């Protein structure tokens, strides 16, 4: 039996790894080598993220956001970005602790000898629980490192990759410069020019939305002179912030963006005025290489969104356990219990769905011959669904805390502002729907892979003799899977209907995948004699897939075991 004070009043000061029973159990099941090799490192990271990083995030957000020093003492434009020392120190510390570089060290290799990024993505999940304004540049640095490692010419990789993955506190950070004035998602319409020279290229143009604007290395899309229009005419180039002689490269910050959230992160418009760059990929492969970077970032976006859900849940559960109203703490009120259980249910769905993309990423690195259809498909589903639910959860956290939660003295205010970015970062929902359509209604076999993966989970559900609710859950899941099958078959026959139905398909498949993966976890725990996850999965299946939330005298089994479910205690 839990007490009201099982969750601290606020998550600040908590170890964001050691306290995450759900995450640890997921890693035990799906990636035990990561716990065996890195549990101590992840625990230390969780303590740092829940303490010093979170304190810095509030300070930077409220009192010391980035500033642009536009002119020097002689009135010349220079566009220097000023970051406060605490932000700089925390940014460097994330790299020192391995948030990017660990995957490239000998101890970061997976069981097959291929790099394993699961620990790095886990650190990203924790970073977002404290400071998205640090998680964002870490994500882009990881994306640039991944492209250099996997796709760059050997000379470029050998020269610059070590600067990104070093773990001595001196690592360079990365950026991805694709967005231009005409819009973010239509990257193929880029107007930035790449002028070939003997020593590399010179880039000319405007990059309209560059986060981590003070990065040491950035990937940029540009069109070489004479290249064809559209995406096939783009190259991908590596732009260092400084030249070999130590002088700044030839680009300037026009202004810093004034944003709804992530105020600690310097996001800028850049003028490229003959910026020196090295070719990573020539047309027609430039856009494909940049998309590889964005695919990596989308996985970080998904785990980061799951992290936002967890922070929203922790703040809500902590407040509900300590705030007294009308004679008792909030967590004793049935409506508050429903809110907390629903938040926790969505948190666990987001965690298992986002980490499915993490495990798929590592599996593809270990065996590239298996193809990347499942990786791309589940990443699109996870990026979409986790972002949608993160925004909902952060709003609900403000509501549960009440008026105090709307003030900047409480972390709920910052997280509500910050969470808005995850829906648009690296492609909003419609872009994920288009990616999904390419995988299920074109030349690829993503539809069959999805149906086979979900069907295998369905076949393994417990019998009604063992779990009375299994009949109901199985029927709802079978109905959802049949709806998926019919929708996918229709779009196979009528691909021209895809742009009309893509977003509905995205939502249907994402909900079905989240429910199925929760059930897969539940079956594993049932084998160990613990029904807690089964109660969570049943609640999700009925409410999300079955649309069942009746006003009746019946009590949901998760409500009946409220204290144990909320505290991650075993349920017999």
């Amino acid at each position: 039996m839990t007490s009201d004070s099982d969750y601290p009043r606020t998550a600040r000061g908590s170890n964001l790894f050691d306290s995450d029973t759900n995450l640890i159990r997921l890693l035990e099941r799906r990636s035990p080598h990561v716990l065996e090799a890195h549990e101590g490192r992840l625990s230390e990271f969780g303590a740092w993220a829940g303490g010093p990083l979170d304190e810095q995030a509030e300070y930077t957000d409220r009192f010391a956001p980035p500033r642009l020093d536009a002119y020097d003492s002689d009135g010349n434009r220079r566009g220097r970005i000023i970051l406060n020392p605490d932000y700089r120190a925390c940014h460097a510390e994330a790299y020192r602790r391995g948030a990017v570089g660990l995957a490239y060290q000998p101890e970061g290799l997976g069981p097959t000898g291929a790099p394993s990024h699961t620990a790095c993505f886990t650190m990203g999940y924790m970073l977002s629980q404290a400071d998205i304004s640090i998680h964002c540049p870490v994500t882009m640095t990881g994306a640039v490192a991944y492209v250099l490692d996997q796709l760059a010419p050997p000379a470029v990789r050998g020269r610059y990759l070590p600067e990104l993955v070093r773990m001595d506190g001196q690592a360079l950070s990365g950026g991805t410069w694709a967005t231009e004035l005409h819009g973010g998602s239509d990257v193929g319409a880029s107007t930035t020019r790449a002028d070939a020279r003997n020593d590399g290229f010179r880039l000319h143009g405007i990059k309209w939305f560059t986060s981590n604007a003070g990065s040491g290395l950035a990937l940029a899309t540009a069109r070489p002179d004479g290249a064809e229009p559209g995406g096939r005419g783009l190259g991908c180039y590596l732009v260092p912030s400084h030249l070999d002689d130590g002088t700044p490269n030839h680009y300037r910050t026009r202004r810093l963006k004034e944003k709804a959230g992530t105020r600690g992160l310097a996001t800028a418009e850049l003028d490229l005025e003959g910026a020196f760059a090295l070719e990573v990929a020539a047309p027609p492969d430039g856009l494909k290489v940049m998309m590889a970077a964005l695919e990596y970032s989308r996985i970080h976006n998904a785990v980061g969104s799951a992290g936002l859900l967890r922070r929203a849940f922790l703040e809500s559960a902590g407040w509900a356990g300590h705030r007294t109203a009308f004679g008792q703490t909030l967590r004793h009120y049935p409506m508050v219990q429903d809110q907390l259980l629903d938040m926790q249910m969505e948190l666990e769905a987001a965690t298992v769905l986002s980490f499915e993309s993490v495990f798929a990423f590592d599996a593809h690195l270990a065996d590239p011959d298996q193809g990347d259809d499942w990786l791309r498909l589940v990443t699109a589903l996870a990026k979409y669904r986790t972002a949608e639910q993160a925004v909902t959860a952060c709003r609900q956290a403000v509501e549960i805390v009440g008026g105090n939660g709307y003030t900047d003295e409480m972390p709920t205010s910052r997280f509500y502002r910050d969470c808005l970015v995850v829906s648009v970062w690296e492609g909003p929902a419609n872009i994920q729907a288009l990616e999904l359509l390419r995988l299920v209604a074109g030349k690829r076999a993503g539809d069959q892979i999805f149906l086979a993966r979900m069907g295998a989970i369905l076949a393994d559900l417990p019998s009604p003799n063992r779990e009375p609710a299994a009949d109901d859950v199985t029927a709802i899941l079978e109905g959802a899977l049949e709806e998926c099958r019919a929708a996918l078959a229709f779009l196979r026959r009528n691909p021209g209907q895809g742009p009309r139905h893509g977003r509905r398909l995205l939502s249907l498949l994402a909900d079905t995948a989240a429910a199925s993966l929760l059930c897969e976890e539940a079956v594993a725990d049932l084998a160990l004699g613990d029904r807690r996850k089964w109660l969570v999965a049943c609640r999700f299946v009925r409410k999300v897939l079955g649309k069942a939330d009746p006003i009746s005298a019946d009590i949901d089994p998760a409500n009946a075991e409220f204290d144990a479910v909320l505290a991650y205690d075993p349920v017999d």
Side-chain angles (χ1 to χ4, degrees):
M1 181 68 65
T2 63
S3 68
D4 286 352
S5 58
D6 278 339
Y7 285 95
R9 182 176 176 275
T10 178
R12 175 167 297 170
S14 300
N15 186 313
L16 296 177
F17 181 78
D18 289 355
S19 63
D20 198 340
T21 303
N22 183 60
L23 171 69
I24 292 171
R25 288 177 180 170
L26 175 61
L27 293 176
E28 286 173 346
R29 282 191 295 269
R30 298 293 304 277
S31 195
H33 70 276
V34 168
L35 281 183
E36 182 180 348
H38 305 303
E39 186 169 10
R41 182 188 296 274
L42 292 172
S43 176
E44 292 174 1
F45 195 96
W48 170 72
L53 179 62
D54 192 58
E55 293 171 6
Q56 172 277 136
E58 180 186 1
Y59 168 73
T60 299
D61 179 77
R62 296 183 63 191
F63 306 115
R67 293 286 183 260
L68 179 63
D69 184 14
Y71 299 94
D72 64 19
S73 58
D74 295 323
N76 299 311
R77 286 182 60 194
R78 63 179 176 184
R80 187 166 65 108
I81 297 171
I82 308 297
L83 303 170
N84 77 68
D86 288 354
Y87 179 90
R88 286 186 177 276
C90 281
H91 192 186
E93 182 69 5
Y95 301 122
R96 190 190 72 79
R97 290 178 177 271
V100 171
L102 182 60
Y104 300 91
Q105 311 304 320
E107 62 269 29
L109 300 179
T112 65
S116 171
H117 290 254
T118 296
C120 296
F121 285 122
T122 302
M123 292 180 196
Y125 164 80
M126 289 187 278
L127 284 175
S128 72
Q129 296 177 48
D131 190 3
I132 298 180
S133 292
I134 294 289
H135 182 217
C136 176
V138 166
T139 292
M140 291 188 292
T141 304
V144 176
Y146 169 67
V147 164
L148 293 186
D149 181 53
Q150 296 289 315
L151 301 170
V156 176
R157 178 173 63 249
R159 167 69 178 84
Y160 290 103
L161 179 60
E163 297 299 320
L164 293 170
V165 302
R166 58 195 296 182
M167 291 171 55
D168 59 357
Q170 303 300 315
L172 296 181
S173 65
T176 49
W177 300 350
T179 303
E180 298 190 3
L181 180 59
H182 60 269
S185 298
D186 188 8
V187 177
S190 175
T191 60
T192 301
R193 292 192 303 108
D195 179 18
R197 302 290 181 85
N198 290 333
D199 61 346
F201 285 78
R202 301 296 184 272
L203 304 189
H204 304 265
I206 298 173
K207 292 299 182 181
W208 189 247
F209 210 95
T210 62
S211 291
N212 193 30
S215 63
L217 291 167
L219 289 175
T221 49
R223 194 178 313 279
D225 291 339
E228 64 182 284
R232 288 183 57 81
L234 292 182
C236 186
Y237 304 90
L238 186 68
V239 186
S241 62
H242 290 76
L243 305 177
D244 285 342
D245 62 5
T247 58
N249 204 347
H250 303 293
Y251 61 85
R252 290 185 299 188
T253 303
R254 306 176 79 197
R255 60 173 177 169
L256 296 182
K257 300 288 192 181
E258 296 181 4
K259 301 168 293 181
T262 59
R263 294 176 181 173
L265 174 67
T267 303
E269 299 166 16
L270 297 182
D271 281 321
L272 305 181
E273 301 170 330
F276 170 75
L278 293 171
E279 186 176 72
V280 176
D285 296 322
L287 181 56
K288 179 180 179 181
V289 167
M290 180 59 85
M291 290 307 300
L294 300 186
E295 184 79 8
Y296 183 97
S297 295
R298 285 172 179 168
I299 300 173
H300 259 298
N301 195 105
V303 297
S305 296
L308 284 169
L309 275 149
R310 182 164 192 257
R311 183 60 183 265
F313 169 73
L314 291 176
E315 295 300 328
S316 300
W319 185 265
H322 290 79
R323 182 71 163 181
T324 299
F326 308 109
Q328 59 183 348
T329 53
L330 296 181
R331 65 175 277 158
H332 286 92
Y333 292 101
M335 286 186 288
V336 175
Q337 291 182 358
D338 265 340
Q339 286 180 289
L340 293 176
L341 287 173
D342 286 346
M343 291 178 75
Q344 188 181 43
M345 171 189 80
E346 287 291 357
L347 160 61
E348 294 182 34
T351 303
V352 71
L353 182 58
S354 62
F355 273 84
E356 183 71 17
S357 67
V358 171
F359 302 141
F361 182 84
D362 270 1
H364 179 63
L365 283 182
D367 183 12
D369 292 338
Q370 70 177 341
D372 63 352
D373 288 359
W374 176 242
L375 167 61
R376 289 176 56 186
L377 191 153
V378 75
T379 298
L381 300 183
K383 196 279 177 189
Y384 159 71
R385 194 179 196 285
T386 59
E388 294 288 305
Q389 293 304 319
V391 174
T392 298
C394 290
R395 179 193 60 77
Q396 289 175 333
V398 173
E399 177 189 335
I400 288 174
V401 176
N404 289 313
Y406 191 62
T407 67
D408 284 350
E409 284 80 8
M410 297 291 289
T412 45
S413 171
R414 170 166 59 90
F415 280 93
Y416 184 46
R417 288 185 281 105
D418 286 355
C419 76
L420 301 175
V421 75
V422 296
S423 290
V424 297
W425 188 29
E426 309 303 26
N430 288 345
I431 295 301
Q432 305 310 313
L434 293 175
E435 168 76 345
L436 177 62
L437 290 171
R438 282 190 287 269
L439 295 163
V440 303
K443 297 179 180 179
R444 292 174 174 262
D447 49 346
Q448 298 307 310
I449 294 172
F450 175 86
L451 294 172
R453 178 77 171 92
M454 299 304 111
I457 295 173
L458 184 61
D460 201 33
L461 291 181
S463 68
N465 292 334
R466 181 178 176 187
E467 285 294 335
D471 247 354
D472 184 31
V473 169
T474 299
I476 294 172
L477 268 179
E478 284 179 342
L481 193 58
E482 184 55 39
E483 188 178 355
C484 292
R485 184 177 289 107
L488 291 167
F490 172 79
L491 291 174
R492 271 288 176 202
R493 295 192 304 270
N494 304 278
Q497 292 290 321
R500 177 185 172 196
H501 297 292
R503 184 154 179 166
R504 286 191 288 275
L505 181 72
L506 180 71
S507 180
L508 172 62
L509 267 59
D511 286 350
T512 303
S516 300
L517 291 168
L518 273 178
C519 287
E520 185 176 54
E521 286 192 296
V523 169
D525 279 0
L526 285 172
L528 301 175
D530 183 5
R531 298 179 64 248
R532 183 202 165 276
K533 181 71 76 169
W534 176 251
L535 300 183
V536 174
C538 290
R539 185 182 182 91
F540 187 94
V541 169
R542 287 168 172 154
K543 296 191 77 167
V544 176
L545 291 186
K547 314 296 183 187
D549 198 8
I551 297 176
S552 71
D554 295 335
I555 298 176
D556 184 274
N559 289 78
E561 299 284 353
F562 172 77
D563 287 328
V565 171
L566 207 71
Y568 291 94
D569 289 337
V571 176
D572 296 331

